[in-house]
C-alpha cells in the first residue's frame, strides 16, 4: 500500500456548487509546476508554493525557503488561477492564498500581504477585489 | 446598496444617451445636447487616463490620487479650453470642479479598501479556525 498514489473518491448525488468546490479542491492537490534550482529540475506541488514573481520576463517560484525558476511561462500559472487559490496581487506577483496570513494597510496607504513564513509582499489596490473573490468562492 | 447606486448611474447615463440621441434626430444638436456630448467625451478621456496611470504606476493610494488629480485637472483645463468652457480668467475653476469629484471618490475608495481588507482578514481567520478544529478532531491524521 505504501507505493500506492493518493486516491480520492468524491461521491455526490448532484453536481451542485458544494460538490464543485470539493472537486476543485481535490484537483488543486494535483497541480504541479516544474522549477529549476542549481541546474536540477524539480516538481513542486501547488501547496508548497507561496508565490510566483516575474522579474525581467523570468518567472520565479517562491516556496517556504527556496526559490526556483519556473520552467514555463506566466500564462501556465494564469491558466491555473481559475481552478486554484492563486490570485494576482500586483503586476508582477501571483500569490497562493492558502499561505496568506494577513493583509495590512500601511501608514503610507500601501497594502502589504504577510505570508505564513512571514514574508511580506506588496499588494496593489487594483487587485483587492479579486483576492476577496477567491475567499468568497472558496468558502465550503 | 453600492450595486443599486452603480446600476442607477449606469441606467441614468443610458437614458440620457437614448433621450438625447432621439432629440438629435428631431431638433438637431442643441446647446444642451452638445454639453452632454462634451461631458461624455471628457468622461471617456478621464477614464482612459485613469486606467493608463493604473497600468504604468504602482503607487500608494494617496500618491496615486494626487497624481491622478493633477493629471485630470490638466486634462479638464485643456479640454475646457478646446470646447469653450473656460476663459483665460477662470481656468482655475477646473481645479475646483475636479477636487469636488476627487475628494468624495478618495474617501469612498478608502472605506471600500478598509472593508475589503477586513473581509479578507476575517476569512483568513475563519479558515485558520476551521483548520485547527479539523486537526483537533483528527481529520488530518
Amino acid at each position: 500500500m505504501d507505493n500506492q498514489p493518493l486516491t480520492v473518491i468524491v461521491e455526490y448525488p448532484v453536481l451542485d456548487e458544494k460538490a464543485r468546490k470539493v472537486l476543485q479542491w481535490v484537483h488543486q492537490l494535483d497541480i504541479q509546476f516544474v522549477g529549476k534550482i542549481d541546474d536540477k529540475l524539480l516538481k513542486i506541488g501547488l501547496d508548497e508554493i507561496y508565490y510566483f514573481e516575474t522579474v525581467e520576463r523570468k518567472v520565479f517560484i517562491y516556496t517556504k525557503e527556496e526559490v526556483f525558476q519556473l520552467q514555463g511561462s506566466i500564462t501556465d500559472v494564469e491558466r491555473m488561477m481559475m481552478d486554484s487559490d492563486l490570485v494576482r496581487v500586483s503586476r508582477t506577483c501571483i500569490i497562493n492564498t492558502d499561505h496568506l496570513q494577513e493583509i495590512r494597510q500601511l501608514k503610507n496607504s500601501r497594502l502589504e500581504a504577510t505570508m505564513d513564513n512571514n514574508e511580506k509582499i506588496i499588494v496593489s489596490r487594483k487587485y483587492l477585489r479579486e483576492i476577496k473573490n477567491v475567499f468568497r468562492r472558496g468558502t465550503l | 446598496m453600492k450595486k443599486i447606486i452603480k446600476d442607477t448611474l449606469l441606467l441614468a447615463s443610458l437614458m440620457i444617451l437614448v433621450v438625447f440621441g432621439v432629440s438629435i434626430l428631431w431638433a438637431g444638436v442643441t446647446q444642451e445636447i452638445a454639453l452632454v456630448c462634451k461631458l461624455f467625451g471628457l468622461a471617456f478621456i478621464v477614464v482612459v487616463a485613469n486606467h493608463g496611470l493604473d497600468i504604468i504606476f504602482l503607487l500608494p493610494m494617496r500618491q496615486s490620487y494626487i497624481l491622478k488629480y493633477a493629471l485630470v485637472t490638466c486634462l479638464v483645463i485643456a479640454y475646457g479650453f478646446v470646447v469653450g468652457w473656460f476663459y483665460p480668467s477662470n481656468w482655475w475653476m477646473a481645479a475646483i470642479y475636479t477636487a469636488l469629484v476627487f475628494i468624495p471618490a478618495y474617501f469612498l475608495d478608502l472605506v471600500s479598501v478598509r472593508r475589503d481588507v477586513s473581509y479578507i482578514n476575517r476569512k483568513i481567520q475563519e479558515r485558520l479556525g476551521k483548520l485547527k478544529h479539523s486537526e483537533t478532531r483528527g481529520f488530518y491524521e
Side-chain angles (χ1 to χ4, degrees):
Chain A
M1 287 293 278
D2 280 353
N3 294 328
Q4 290 288 314
L6 172 69
T7 309
V8 179
I9 298 165
V10 183
E11 288 182 13
Y12 47 87
V14 190
L15 185 59
D16 58 5
E17 194 53 31
K18 218 165 197 173
R20 244 182 254 279
K21 279 175 183 168
V22 174
L23 290 172
Q24 185 199 326
W25 186 75
V26 173
H27 171 68
Q28 204 177 307
L29 294 175
D30 209 29
I31 296 176
Q32 287 182 326
F33 292 91
V34 178
K36 193 176 174 185
I37 186 168
D38 300 331
D39 289 328
K40 277 186 286 182
L41 292 177
L42 290 171
K43 277 185 182 171
I44 310 153
L46 183 60
D47 56 331
E48 292 174 70
I49 297 172
Y50 278 62
Y51 64 98
F52 296 86
E53 191 180 27
T54 311
V55 182
E56 292 168 358
R57 293 188 178 192
K58 286 178 187 159
V59 184
F60 294 93
I61 300 171
Y62 292 76
T63 61
K64 193 171 185 177
E65 283 161 352
E66 286 174 305
V67 183
F68 301 83
Q69 188 180 339
L70 175 73
Q71 298 302 291
S73 68
I74 196 71
T75 321
D76 301 328
V77 182
E78 281 167 346
R79 216 176 289 138
M80 298 293 177
M81 276 167 70
M82 272 309 287
D83 297 327
S84 66
D85 291 334
L86 294 175
V87 69
R88 186 175 284 284
V89 294
S90 68
R91 221 168 31 196
T92 58
C93 203
I94 293 172
I95 66 163
N96 183 354
T97 52
D98 282 345
H99 293 292
L100 179 60
Q101 199 172 47
E102 188 193 21
I103 292 187
R104 278 192 323 135
Q105 197 165 13
L106 304 178
K107 275 185 184 163
N108 60 4
S109 71
R110 262 192 199 282
L111 295 171
E112 183 187 75
T114 307
M115 307 305 279
D116 56 26
N117 61 347
N118 274 328
E119 197 156 338
K120 316 272 188 210
I121 296 163
I122 292 293
V123 175
S124 167
R125 210 171 73 250
K126 204 171 75 175
Y127 298 102
L128 207 53
R129 190 58 52 89
E130 287 168 40
I131 305 171
K132 197 176 160 185
N133 288 342
V134 168
F135 283 95
R136 198 171 270 168
R137 73 167 191 242
T139 315
L140 277 173
Chain B
M1 191 63 194
K2 196 178 161 190
K3 194 176 167 2
I4 289 173
I5 293 170
K6 203 173 162 183
D7 287 351
T8 306
L9 292 174
L10 278 172
L11 183 64
S13 306
L14 196 65
M15 283 160 75
I16 290 168
L17 278 177
V18 170
V19 170
F20 279 73
V22 172
S23 299
I24 288 173
L25 295 174
W26 294 107
V29 183
T30 61
Q31 259 188 341
E32 293 81 19
I33 294 171
L35 175 67
V36 169
C37 292
K38 286 169 189 171
L39 285 172
F40 271 90
L42 178 62
F44 177 75
I45 293 168
V46 169
V47 168
V48 170
N50 187 38
H51 276 279
L53 283 184
D54 281 342
I55 291 167
I56 299 165
F57 299 106
L58 174 62
L59 290 171
M61 195 172 163
R62 209 169 301 145
Q63 275 108 305
S64 165
Y65 265 88
I66 291 169
L67 182 69
K68 281 178 186 174
Y69 173 70
L71 178 75
V72 171
T73 304
C74 292
L75 284 173
V76 174
I77 291 171
Y79 192 84
F81 275 121
V82 171
V83 299
W85 286 340
F86 304 122
Y87 308 101
S89 58
N90 72 344
W91 61 268
W92 50 268
M93 290 286 288
I96 292 174
Y97 281 127
T98 312
L100 288 176
V101 176
F102 262 74
I103 292 168
Y106 173 77
F107 284 106
L108 281 174
D109 203 7
L110 200 67
V111 170
S112 155
V113 166
R114 277 190 190 155
R115 213 178 40 205
D116 286 350
V117 167
S118 71
Y119 175 88
I120 293 165
N121 287 334
R122 201 174 58 239
K123 286 287 172 188
I124 294 170
Q125 289 311 312
E126 277 174 19
R127 188 182 64 191
L128 290 174
K130 269 186 195 172
L131 213 65
K132 258 186 196 158
H133 184 64
S134 311
E135 278 168 359
T136 51
R137 288 180 64 178
F139 289 169
Y140 279 65
E141 281 168 8

